[in-house]
Amino acid sequence: MAVLLFLSSVFQVHYHSASYSEVKILDRSIFDFVDLLTNSIGMPGALLISIFAGYYYTKDFSRKELDSSSLMFNIWYILIRNVSPIAILIILIQGILPLFK
């Protein structure tokens, strides 16, 4: 994030009248580059977090930590263990596949 802030400040100093969409990083606009970063770095991190929270934490520890009703906890537990990893993998694959075309 600090690198992006630095690049945007350098861009503003050198190109006063240009817009951010004209900035190219690795032959991509700055918006496409940030989207690539979130799909390449953010999604695997989210996948690891969902797996960690769903499978490493015990059910009792998670219930105590979340301090929610039994129904809401059971819904969360099913989502974090089963639905979240699959959904994150689908989004990650859809984000990476265009890079190989």
Side-chain angles (χ1 to χ4, degrees):
M1 193 59 141
V3 172
L4 290 176
L5 289 173
F6 173 75
L7 289 174
S8 71
S9 64
V10 169
F11 172 74
Q12 286 180 350
V13 169
H14 291 293
Y15 304 101
H16 297 293
S17 63
S19 68
Y20 283 109
S21 62
E22 296 173 5
V23 176
K24 299 290 183 190
I25 300 174
L26 299 176
D27 201 32
R28 300 175 188 271
S29 74
I30 193 162
F31 301 114
D32 291 336
F33 182 73
V34 170
D35 182 51
L36 175 69
L37 282 179
T38 56
N39 281 335
S40 300
I41 296 170
M43 284 299 163
L47 180 63
L48 292 175
I49 289 170
S50 71
I51 291 171
F52 180 78
Y55 292 95
Y56 178 73
Y57 279 171
T58 62
K59 196 169 186 175
D60 293 332
F61 181 77
S62 297
R63 185 185 311 269
K64 187 174 83 173
E65 191 70 28
L66 291 174
D67 192 33
S68 64
S69 69
S70 180
L71 176 65
M72 288 304 292
F73 175 77
N74 289 332
I75 292 170
W76 175 85
Y77 198 69
I78 290 169
L79 289 174
I80 201 71
R81 285 186 70 119
N82 303 317
V83 178
S84 295
I86 294 169
I88 292 170
L89 273 175
I90 290 170
I91 294 168
L92 177 64
I93 290 169
Q94 285 180 343
I96 291 177
L97 280 180
L99 297 176
F100 298 107
K101 289 184 179 180

